[in-house]
Amino acid sequence: MILRTHIRFLLIAGLWTAVAAPRPATADDRRDILVVINRSIQKKKVSIDELRDYFLKKRLNWPSGRGVVPINAKSDSDLRAAFRRAVLEMTETEESRYWQDSKIKAGAKKPPELGNNLRAVFKIKGAISYVYRRDYKEGVVDIVLVLPAKPAPEPTKSEANP
Amino acid sequence: MMSLTHRLSHTRRASALARMILAGLCGTLITLRLSGGSAETSEPPEAASEAEAIKAFKANNQSKFDSLETRFEDFDGQLEELELTLLESQELEETDTGIEIYGFFDVLFLKAFSKKGSLLEGLAWPSSTFILQNLNLYFAGQMTRTLSSIVELRFTFRPLGDERQFEFSQLGLAYDRLDTEVDDQLSNEHFRLGGVVIERAHVTWEPIDFFNLIAGYYLTPYGIWNVEHGSPVRLSIRPPYMQISHVVPLAQLGVMAYGRFFPAARTYLDYVVTVSNGRGPMDTIMDLDENKAVGLKLKLSYNGNDVKLAAGGYGYIGDYTDIKRAVTSVFPSFGVRQEVTENYTEYLGAFDFLLRAYGWRLQAEYVWRLTRYSLRPPRDQMHGPGYQPDYLSIFGYGLLAYTLPLERWLDQKTITTFVSLEYSNLDETVDLNTTLMPILGINFKPSEYVALKLEAAYIHTIHDDSFRSWILTAQLAVAF
């Protein structure tokens, strides 16, 4: 009886280890996009819809009232293209048109573009941005959403026409 | 700033503590090594094995210590980098980013084909012509994260060519067209003066999504095309006649409160409250009555993946008052009297609907205005003798557009075809004012900065043949 219990325990433990144990990072994992926020924002999760609102400036404040500071990756980067496709559901031209039209309509300004988003989010209160998992550094900012890596993105303009 | 500095100093303290622990561990290691050395002399065989063990322990842990040391050094380096760019971050957070200047202009080519003998044959211009209709410059400033300003100026060649009076021999009136040509007396060069229209000039304070304020001269938040302002943005060449005839004031001088709520994902409920001088003979200079015009807009929109839907309404009540001032006495004291010469209240309702799905765009706007006089002016000559009665104005249009799925061949360039039907009745007491105008057009956008448009419109009055004309127009609209 005791032996059977032990065997059952070992089987369950083995199964748990197989399922839950951390697996080594694959190349795809390293291309997951982590949406990160400054630690001044008391928020655990951000939905894709909210994220879209923040980056299209349809929503200007965090629930606490602090102003949202969306920070984009460089326009011609792979990261920006992947984010644009996954979150904004736009092409580069569509995004560019959106901001051009918004500027004419109401003087809207597009979010700033920076090379080192992680550093900017760490420094700027209310900031939100995104980085590849491979560029993420533990303990600097909070992760609020993970966008799993998708198959090879369509080439950006700068890549297509170097 | 305080929080970040505090965090940096806290991290530095942690780093120092870690260094102390590291030093302690190294000390222990040295002690172990020394005690191992003394054991070697007293008990040679055991001591040898212990010495081996200690050596292995040291070798094993030394590499760990070295790695920790390196990581701490890296961490210190990162902290220094962060400190160096702190200033840059503050700029992003709170900075006055200066003024941004941009704008748009458009060039038209127009030809009207009017029915022989119709009133429009006389009113419309007989020849084809190029027209520079809009040259708008924007000056946008972002003073702080919540405070911004925008000034939009429209430069125009007008008032050159303004027709002040048609010849009317029965009344002894001569034709009068404005000529703005002046002479530079220094160089003797002749040139024509133009004009500047202030389209909007306001400051915007946006502290929180559900409550923001605008003060100044702002665009009236009604309908679709009055908000989606500017020829590069608008699909068609001409704005709907409801805008051209100013049935709703295009802009108002006053304050505007607005905000947004998020009832569900991708769903927005917007409100706008306007308080302004309203309409008047000189409302952009000053109000001639105490009754401020008030308006309320509500708009519900859904911004889905493939389907975008919006419906809104704007209600407005405002008084128009005109006055004259007359000298009543000179002696023994100087006296001036103000007299109201015209006064009416306008009640306005404007509704808009927009559906975008799978390349299709269906939109409609409808405006209803009741003008109720308390002091009537004499009626306009064209409308007959007597005084102007209360009247109703009704305007509306529906537009259906389709963006052709040509991405494969045109990359991101878009070609959109559209048809629309516009109904206009400025004054329902006058038959002449009721017109219908079907429009067929095409809009090609080779880039986000350029729009090429071509449209054919057929304007005609419903009640008689006095207005019947085809108007062909091409437009190049450029944003810069």
Side-chain angles (χ1 to χ4, degrees):
Chain A
M1 182 68 183
I2 292 170
L3 184 66
R4 193 178 291 170
T5 311
H6 276 228
I7 291 169
R8 190 182 294 166
F9 173 78
L10 285 171
L11 278 173
I12 291 169
L15 193 66
W16 183 87
T17 310
V19 172
R23 59 197 168 87
T26 64
D28 274 355
D29 286 343
R30 288 162 53 77
R31 289 182 70 89
D32 284 350
I33 296 174
L34 309 183
V35 178
V36 292
I37 58 172
N38 180 271
R39 290 198 152 169
S40 64
I41 307 154
Q42 303 298 312
K43 199 163 166 65
K44 298 287 176 200
K45 276 184 182 176
V46 168
S47 70
I48 287 196
D49 292 331
E50 284 174 303
L51 195 58
R52 192 170 190 271
D53 286 348
Y54 294 142
F55 277 85
L56 294 180
K57 292 201 172 176
K58 287 178 181 290
R59 196 187 286 244
L60 303 175
N61 297 95
W62 294 106
S64 65
R66 183 182 287 284
V68 177
V69 185
I71 296 167
N72 263 323
K74 291 283 183 192
S75 179
D76 56 356
S77 64
D78 275 352
L79 176 62
R80 177 74 174 276
F83 181 81
R84 191 186 286 127
R85 196 172 50 249
V87 177
L88 306 185
E89 294 152 2
M90 289 178 176
T91 62
E92 188 179 359
T93 310
E94 283 169 343
E95 191 192 4
S96 184
R97 262 184 204 161
Y98 174 84
W99 288 112
Q100 181 60 37
D101 288 356
S102 301
K103 208 162 81 163
I104 297 284
K105 284 179 209 168
K109 287 190 169 188
K110 59 184 176 186
E113 295 173 3
L114 293 177
N116 191 339
N117 295 8
L118 197 65
R119 183 191 293 174
V121 173
F122 171 69
K123 289 186 297 184
I124 300 166
K125 286 172 195 165
I128 179 168
S129 191
Y130 44 90
V131 291
Y132 278 132
R133 189 186 288 279
R134 66 182 181 220
D135 298 326
Y136 175 70
K137 289 186 180 73
E138 194 77 43
V140 179
V141 292
D142 289 338
I143 300 172
V144 285
L145 183 68
V146 177
L147 303 166
K150 289 202 171 159
E154 65 188 39
T156 57
K157 260 188 181 168
S158 61
E159 288 164 345
N161 307 302
Chain B
M1 169 69 183
M2 281 293 286
S3 165
L4 182 59
T5 314
H6 177 76
R7 194 177 299 155
L8 285 170
S9 63
H10 182 77
T11 318
R12 223 183 257 115
R13 277 201 299 276
S15 169
L17 186 65
R19 281 173 186 282
M20 284 170 66
I21 294 167
L22 189 69
L25 284 169
C26 286
T28 312
L29 193 69
I30 291 161
T31 314
L32 280 170
R33 192 183 173 191
L34 288 174
S35 62
S38 61
E40 197 177 353
T41 50
S42 58
E43 293 174 12
E46 284 174 20
S49 65
E50 272 182 22
E52 285 298 320
I54 287 167
K55 202 180 272 180
F57 174 77
K58 183 199 160 192
N60 187 30
N61 286 290
Q62 189 63 50
S63 65
K64 284 182 184 170
F65 294 147
D66 289 344
S67 135
L68 275 172
E69 181 81 57
T70 313
R71 283 182 66 185
F72 278 121
E73 277 170 9
D74 286 348
F75 192 49
D76 276 348
Q78 284 174 29
L79 281 175
E80 279 168 15
E81 272 187 79
L82 289 170
E83 279 179 312
L84 283 173
T85 48
L86 182 62
L87 197 63
E88 182 192 341
S89 79
Q90 283 176 317
E91 279 175 5
L92 269 172
E93 198 172 11
E94 290 289 346
T95 291
D96 170 4
T97 53
I99 206 161
E100 194 180 356
I101 302 172
Y102 57 94
F104 68 88
F105 71 90
D106 55 64
V107 184
L108 290 175
F109 181 76
L110 183 145
K111 170 74 181 165
F113 303 89
S114 304
K115 189 185 171 190
K116 292 279 178 202
S118 73
L119 176 59
L120 262 186
E121 191 189 14
L123 286 176
W125 293 106
S127 316
S128 60
T129 180
F130 287 100
I131 300 169
L132 182 77
Q133 195 172 31
N134 293 289
L135 168 53
N136 290 32
L137 271 189
Y138 290 68
F139 302 86
Q142 186 80 41
M143 290 81 83
T144 70
R145 192 191 291 166
T146 56
L147 198 66
S148 62
S149 66
I150 188 167
V151 173
E152 182 185 351
L153 302 177
R154 178 181 172 188
F155 294 85
T156 172
F157 291 123
R158 296 185 186 282
L160 174 68
D162 187 47
E163 290 177 297
R164 292 168 161 184
Q165 183 63 56
F166 286 178
E167 184 183 272
F168 199 171
S169 49
Q170 283 109 324
L171 295 176
L173 299 172
Y175 181 63
D176 182 12
R177 186 175 62 209
L178 188 66
D179 185 357
T180 59
E181 190 166 284
V182 292
D183 178 24
D184 181 344
Q185 290 163 332
L186 196 64
S187 64
N188 209 27
E189 180 195 358
H190 292 255
F191 55 88
R192 290 161 174 173
L193 296 177
V196 179
V197 180
I198 300 174
E199 293 268 335
R200 56 179 146 176
H202 59 77
V203 63
T204 305
W205 181 51
E206 292 185 311
I208 196 146
D209 287 313
F210 62 81
F211 184 76
N212 307 289
L213 277 176
I214 276 178
Y217 191 53
Y218 53 82
L219 298 179
T220 301
Y222 91 93
I224 298 168
W225 288 147
N226 199 51
V227 177
E228 299 198 1
H229 179 84
S231 51
V233 177
R234 199 176 50 238
L235 190 66
S236 56
I237 292 178
R238 70 188 70 246
Y241 195 59
M242 65 178 68
Q243 267 180 263
I244 295 169
S245 64
H246 293 204
V247 62
V248 182
L250 298 186
Q252 300 176 48
L253 181 61
V255 293
M256 180 168 106
Y258 65 99
R260 170 169 283 181
F261 296 93
F262 306 91
R266 294 182 174 233
T267 308
Y268 315 105
L269 176 63
D270 294 290
Y271 79 89
V272 187
V273 177
T274 56
V275 179
S276 72
N277 282 349
R279 213 192 292 262
M282 48 186 283
D283 55 80
T284 48
I285 305 293
M286 64 170 60
D287 198 356
L288 298 180
D289 62 43
E290 284 298 339
N291 300 323
K292 298 293 167 253
V294 291
L296 171 67
K297 177 171 185 170
L298 290 174
K299 184 177 182 181
L300 187 66
S301 46
Y302 170 73
N303 201 5
N305 267 359
D306 300 312
V307 178
K308 292 172 176 59
L309 188 65
Y314 177 66
Y316 167 100
I317 301 174
D319 270 19
Y320 174 101
T321 305
D322 197 1
I323 62 166
K324 69 177 181 184
R325 295 203 265 195
V327 175
T328 51
S329 66
V330 178
F331 187 79
S333 60
F334 191 73
V336 175
R337 172 173 55 86
Q338 291 188 11
E339 186 186 332
V340 177
T341 56
E342 184 179 351
N343 178 258
Y344 64 79
T345 304
E346 46 184 352
Y347 303 88
L348 270 163
F351 306 94
D352 58 89
F353 171 82
L354 174 64
L355 170 66
R356 283 183 289 165
Y358 307 103
W360 290 91
R361 179 185 181 111
L362 175 65
Q363 77 176 57
E365 290 188 52
Y366 175 82
V367 173
W368 175 93
R369 181 181 76 181
L370 174 65
T371 305
R372 188 166 279 167
Y373 284 90
S374 52
L375 187 59
R376 298 172 199 278
R379 211 168 191 191
D380 190 274
Q381 285 173 10
M382 277 179 75
H383 299 165
Y387 288 91
Q388 173 67 40
D390 296 347
Y391 66 96
L392 201 61
S393 309
I394 296 173
F395 291 79
Y397 75 85
L399 179 145
L400 181 66
Y402 181 61
T403 302
L404 303 175
L406 302 172
E407 299 89 359
R408 187 185 295 178
W409 298 279
L410 296 178
D411 192 19
Q412 297 299 321
K413 304 172 183 72
T414 55
I415 295 179
T416 305
T417 56
F418 62 91
V419 287
S420 77
L421 183 64
E422 200 175 326
Y423 173 88
S424 312
N425 189 347
L426 187 59
D427 180 347
E428 44 85 40
T429 62
V430 182
D431 286 346
L432 185 69
N433 278 321
T434 312
T435 58
L436 262 185
M437 184 159 66
I439 301 171
L440 180 66
I442 189 164
N443 177 311
F444 173 51
K445 277 200 158 187
S447 85
E448 62 267 39
Y449 302 107
V450 178
L452 286 158
K453 308 174 198 175
L454 181 67
E455 66 182 40
Y458 179 63
I459 182 168
H460 66 285
T461 45
I462 289 178
H463 297 286
D464 57 30
D465 282 352
S466 54
F467 270 64
R468 282 190 191 267
S469 181
W470 277 97
I471 303 168
L472 283 178
T473 320
Q475 185 189 56
L476 167 67
V478 180
F480 55 87

